[in-house]
Short mmCIF file of all heavy atoms in Angstrom, two decimals:
data_model
loop_
_atom_site.label_atom_id
_atom_site.label_comp_id
_atom_site.label_asym_id
_atom_site.label_seq_id
_atom_site.Cartn_x
_atom_site.Cartn_y
_atom_site.Cartn_z
N GLN A 1 -4.27 -22.96 -8.35
CA GLN A 1 -4.62 -22.60 -6.96
C GLN A 1 -6.08 -22.12 -6.92
O GLN A 1 -6.70 -21.90 -7.94
CB GLN A 1 -3.67 -21.53 -6.47
CG GLN A 1 -2.20 -21.94 -6.50
CD GLN A 1 -1.92 -23.16 -5.65
OE1 GLN A 1 -2.37 -23.26 -4.51
NE2 GLN A 1 -1.16 -24.11 -6.21
N SER A 2 -6.55 -21.91 -5.72
CA SER A 2 -7.92 -21.48 -5.51
C SER A 2 -8.11 -20.02 -5.91
O SER A 2 -7.13 -19.26 -6.01
CB SER A 2 -8.32 -21.66 -4.04
OG SER A 2 -7.60 -20.76 -3.23
N ASP A 3 -9.34 -19.61 -6.12
CA ASP A 3 -9.64 -18.22 -6.43
C ASP A 3 -9.21 -17.32 -5.27
O ASP A 3 -8.74 -16.20 -5.51
CB ASP A 3 -11.15 -18.04 -6.68
CG ASP A 3 -11.59 -18.67 -7.98
OD1 ASP A 3 -10.74 -18.89 -8.86
OD2 ASP A 3 -12.79 -18.93 -8.13
N LEU A 4 -9.40 -17.81 -4.03
CA LEU A 4 -9.02 -17.00 -2.86
C LEU A 4 -7.50 -16.78 -2.87
O LEU A 4 -7.04 -15.65 -2.56
CB LEU A 4 -9.42 -17.70 -1.60
CG LEU A 4 -9.06 -16.96 -0.27
CD1 LEU A 4 -9.80 -15.60 -0.22
CD2 LEU A 4 -9.41 -17.80 0.92
N PHE A 5 -6.74 -17.76 -3.21
CA PHE A 5 -5.28 -17.61 -3.29
C PHE A 5 -4.92 -16.50 -4.29
O PHE A 5 -4.06 -15.66 -3.99
CB PHE A 5 -4.62 -18.94 -3.69
CG PHE A 5 -3.13 -18.82 -3.91
CD1 PHE A 5 -2.24 -18.92 -2.85
CD2 PHE A 5 -2.61 -18.61 -5.19
CE1 PHE A 5 -0.88 -18.80 -3.04
CE2 PHE A 5 -1.24 -18.50 -5.39
CZ PHE A 5 -0.38 -18.59 -4.33
N ASN A 6 -5.51 -16.56 -5.47
CA ASN A 6 -5.22 -15.57 -6.49
C ASN A 6 -5.56 -14.13 -6.04
O ASN A 6 -4.85 -13.18 -6.33
CB ASN A 6 -5.98 -15.86 -7.78
CG ASN A 6 -5.49 -17.18 -8.43
OD1 ASN A 6 -4.32 -17.51 -8.31
ND2 ASN A 6 -6.37 -17.87 -9.10
N ILE A 7 -6.68 -14.00 -5.29
CA ILE A 7 -7.07 -12.71 -4.77
C ILE A 7 -6.07 -12.21 -3.70
O ILE A 7 -5.68 -11.06 -3.70
CB ILE A 7 -8.50 -12.79 -4.15
CG1 ILE A 7 -9.51 -13.15 -5.20
CG2 ILE A 7 -8.86 -11.44 -3.51
CD1 ILE A 7 -10.87 -13.57 -4.64
N VAL A 8 -5.64 -13.14 -2.85
CA VAL A 8 -4.76 -12.74 -1.74
C VAL A 8 -3.39 -12.29 -2.28
O VAL A 8 -2.85 -11.31 -1.82
CB VAL A 8 -4.58 -13.95 -0.78
CG1 VAL A 8 -3.42 -13.71 0.20
CG2 VAL A 8 -5.86 -14.17 0.02
N ILE A 9 -2.83 -13.03 -3.23
CA ILE A 9 -1.51 -12.60 -3.72
C ILE A 9 -1.61 -11.32 -4.54
O ILE A 9 -0.67 -10.50 -4.55
CB ILE A 9 -0.83 -13.73 -4.56
CG1 ILE A 9 -1.62 -14.06 -5.86
CG2 ILE A 9 -0.62 -14.96 -3.75
CD1 ILE A 9 -0.83 -14.98 -6.79
N GLN A 10 -2.73 -11.07 -5.20
CA GLN A 10 -2.94 -9.81 -5.88
C GLN A 10 -2.98 -8.67 -4.87
O GLN A 10 -2.41 -7.60 -5.09
CB GLN A 10 -4.24 -9.82 -6.68
CG GLN A 10 -4.44 -8.53 -7.50
CD GLN A 10 -5.82 -8.44 -8.14
OE1 GLN A 10 -6.85 -8.57 -7.49
NE2 GLN A 10 -5.81 -8.28 -9.46
N SER A 11 -3.69 -8.89 -3.75
CA SER A 11 -3.78 -7.87 -2.71
C SER A 11 -2.40 -7.58 -2.14
O SER A 11 -2.08 -6.41 -1.81
CB SER A 11 -4.72 -8.33 -1.59
OG SER A 11 -6.01 -8.53 -2.10
N GLY A 12 -1.56 -8.58 -1.99
CA GLY A 12 -0.24 -8.38 -1.52
C GLY A 12 0.58 -7.50 -2.44
O GLY A 12 1.30 -6.60 -2.01
N ALA A 13 0.45 -7.74 -3.75
CA ALA A 13 1.17 -6.95 -4.73
C ALA A 13 0.68 -5.51 -4.72
O ALA A 13 1.49 -4.57 -4.91
CB ALA A 13 0.93 -7.56 -6.13
N VAL A 14 -0.58 -5.30 -4.48
CA VAL A 14 -1.15 -3.93 -4.48
C VAL A 14 -0.70 -3.16 -3.27
O VAL A 14 -0.24 -2.01 -3.35
CB VAL A 14 -2.69 -4.00 -4.56
CG1 VAL A 14 -3.28 -2.60 -4.40
CG2 VAL A 14 -3.15 -4.61 -5.85
N LEU A 15 -0.83 -3.78 -2.08
CA LEU A 15 -0.49 -3.08 -0.83
C LEU A 15 1.00 -2.72 -0.77
O LEU A 15 1.37 -1.72 -0.15
CB LEU A 15 -0.86 -3.94 0.35
CG LEU A 15 -2.37 -4.13 0.60
CD1 LEU A 15 -2.61 -5.20 1.68
CD2 LEU A 15 -3.00 -2.81 1.02
N ALA A 16 1.82 -3.52 -1.43
CA ALA A 16 3.25 -3.31 -1.31
C ALA A 16 3.73 -2.03 -1.99
O ALA A 16 4.82 -1.52 -1.69
CB ALA A 16 4.00 -4.51 -1.95
N VAL A 17 2.96 -1.46 -2.91
CA VAL A 17 3.41 -0.28 -3.62
C VAL A 17 3.15 1.02 -2.85
O VAL A 17 3.70 2.08 -3.21
CB VAL A 17 2.81 -0.19 -5.03
CG1 VAL A 17 3.06 -1.44 -5.83
CG2 VAL A 17 1.31 0.13 -4.95
N LEU A 18 2.33 0.96 -1.83
CA LEU A 18 2.03 2.18 -1.08
C LEU A 18 3.26 2.88 -0.53
O LEU A 18 3.34 4.11 -0.61
CB LEU A 18 1.06 1.85 0.07
CG LEU A 18 -0.40 1.56 -0.34
CD1 LEU A 18 -1.21 1.09 0.86
CD2 LEU A 18 -1.06 2.78 -0.96
N PRO A 19 4.25 2.17 0.05
CA PRO A 19 5.42 2.85 0.56
C PRO A 19 6.28 3.52 -0.56
O PRO A 19 7.17 4.34 -0.20
CB PRO A 19 6.21 1.71 1.23
CG PRO A 19 5.22 0.66 1.47
CD PRO A 19 4.26 0.72 0.37
N LEU A 20 6.02 3.21 -1.78
CA LEU A 20 6.80 3.81 -2.86
C LEU A 20 6.35 5.23 -3.25
O LEU A 20 6.98 5.88 -4.06
CB LEU A 20 6.73 2.90 -4.10
CG LEU A 20 7.42 1.54 -3.95
CD1 LEU A 20 7.10 0.62 -5.14
CD2 LEU A 20 8.92 1.72 -3.80
N PHE A 21 5.26 5.67 -2.63
CA PHE A 21 4.76 7.00 -2.88
C PHE A 21 4.67 7.78 -1.57
O PHE A 21 3.61 8.25 -1.18
CB PHE A 21 3.41 6.95 -3.59
CG PHE A 21 3.43 6.23 -4.90
CD1 PHE A 21 2.99 4.91 -4.97
CD2 PHE A 21 3.88 6.83 -6.05
CE1 PHE A 21 2.98 4.22 -6.17
CE2 PHE A 21 3.89 6.17 -7.26
CZ PHE A 21 3.45 4.87 -7.34
N PRO A 22 5.78 7.90 -0.87
CA PRO A 22 5.71 8.54 0.47
C PRO A 22 5.25 9.96 0.44
O PRO A 22 4.47 10.44 1.31
CB PRO A 22 7.16 8.44 0.98
CG PRO A 22 8.00 8.33 -0.23
CD PRO A 22 7.14 7.51 -1.20
N GLU A 23 5.67 10.72 -0.57
CA GLU A 23 5.29 12.14 -0.67
C GLU A 23 3.79 12.27 -0.92
O GLU A 23 3.13 13.13 -0.34
CB GLU A 23 6.09 12.87 -1.77
CG GLU A 23 7.57 12.98 -1.47
CD GLU A 23 7.84 13.72 -0.17
OE1 GLU A 23 7.12 14.75 0.10
OE2 GLU A 23 8.73 13.31 0.59
N ARG A 24 3.26 11.45 -1.82
CA ARG A 24 1.84 11.48 -2.09
C ARG A 24 1.04 11.06 -0.89
O ARG A 24 -0.01 11.67 -0.55
CB ARG A 24 1.51 10.58 -3.27
CG ARG A 24 1.90 11.09 -4.64
CD ARG A 24 1.05 12.31 -5.02
NE ARG A 24 1.35 12.79 -6.36
CZ ARG A 24 0.95 13.90 -6.88
NH1 ARG A 24 0.19 14.75 -6.14
NH2 ARG A 24 1.26 14.27 -8.11
N MET A 25 1.47 10.00 -0.23
CA MET A 25 0.76 9.54 0.98
C MET A 25 0.74 10.58 2.05
O MET A 25 -0.29 10.83 2.72
CB MET A 25 1.40 8.24 1.52
CG MET A 25 1.32 7.05 0.58
SD MET A 25 -0.36 6.56 0.15
CE MET A 25 -0.44 7.09 -1.56
N ARG A 26 1.89 11.24 2.26
CA ARG A 26 1.96 12.31 3.25
C ARG A 26 1.06 13.46 2.84
O ARG A 26 0.38 14.08 3.71
CB ARG A 26 3.42 12.79 3.33
CG ARG A 26 3.74 13.66 4.58
CD ARG A 26 5.19 13.97 4.68
NE ARG A 26 6.01 12.76 4.83
CZ ARG A 26 6.88 12.31 3.92
NH1 ARG A 26 7.01 13.02 2.78
NH2 ARG A 26 7.56 11.25 4.08
N GLN A 27 1.05 13.77 1.57
CA GLN A 27 0.20 14.85 1.05
C GLN A 27 -1.27 14.52 1.29
O GLN A 27 -2.05 15.38 1.75
CB GLN A 27 0.48 15.03 -0.44
CG GLN A 27 -0.35 16.13 -1.11
CD GLN A 27 -0.09 16.18 -2.60
OE1 GLN A 27 0.44 15.22 -3.21
NE2 GLN A 27 -0.46 17.28 -3.23
N PHE A 28 -1.69 13.28 1.00
CA PHE A 28 -3.07 12.90 1.14
C PHE A 28 -3.51 12.92 2.60
O PHE A 28 -4.68 13.24 2.92
CB PHE A 28 -3.28 11.50 0.58
CG PHE A 28 -3.11 11.40 -0.90
CD1 PHE A 28 -2.85 10.17 -1.51
CD2 PHE A 28 -3.19 12.51 -1.71
CE1 PHE A 28 -2.71 10.07 -2.88
CE2 PHE A 28 -3.02 12.43 -3.08
CZ PHE A 28 -2.77 11.21 -3.67
N VAL A 29 -2.61 12.58 3.53
CA VAL A 29 -2.95 12.50 4.94
C VAL A 29 -2.88 13.87 5.63
O VAL A 29 -3.80 14.24 6.39
CB VAL A 29 -2.03 11.50 5.67
CG1 VAL A 29 -2.32 11.50 7.19
CG2 VAL A 29 -2.25 10.10 5.14
N PHE A 30 -1.81 14.64 5.40
CA PHE A 30 -1.58 15.85 6.14
C PHE A 30 -1.91 17.14 5.39
O PHE A 30 -2.00 18.20 6.02
CB PHE A 30 -0.11 15.89 6.63
CG PHE A 30 0.26 14.77 7.50
CD1 PHE A 30 1.10 13.76 7.02
CD2 PHE A 30 -0.22 14.68 8.80
CE1 PHE A 30 1.46 12.69 7.86
CE2 PHE A 30 0.10 13.63 9.61
CZ PHE A 30 0.95 12.61 9.15
N GLN A 31 -2.06 17.04 4.06
CA GLN A 31 -2.27 18.24 3.28
C GLN A 31 -3.55 18.14 2.44
O GLN A 31 -3.69 18.79 1.43
CB GLN A 31 -1.09 18.53 2.38
CG GLN A 31 0.22 18.71 3.13
CD GLN A 31 1.41 18.79 2.20
OE1 GLN A 31 1.30 18.90 1.00
NE2 GLN A 31 2.59 18.72 2.79
N TRP A 32 -4.49 17.34 2.95
CA TRP A 32 -5.69 17.09 2.15
C TRP A 32 -6.58 18.32 2.02
O TRP A 32 -7.44 18.38 1.14
CB TRP A 32 -6.49 15.95 2.73
CG TRP A 32 -6.97 16.17 4.14
CD1 TRP A 32 -6.34 15.83 5.28
CD2 TRP A 32 -8.23 16.75 4.52
NE1 TRP A 32 -7.09 16.19 6.38
CE2 TRP A 32 -8.26 16.74 5.95
CE3 TRP A 32 -9.32 17.26 3.81
CZ2 TRP A 32 -9.33 17.27 6.66
CZ3 TRP A 32 -10.39 17.75 4.54
CH2 TRP A 32 -10.37 17.74 5.94
#
């Protein structure tokens, strides 16, 4: 596949893990 395709699917994999750290995300946003 193209280089752009490889970058896009990597970005999908990265963004997907954010919901797995709800306490940290809440801490970073509201308790910074």
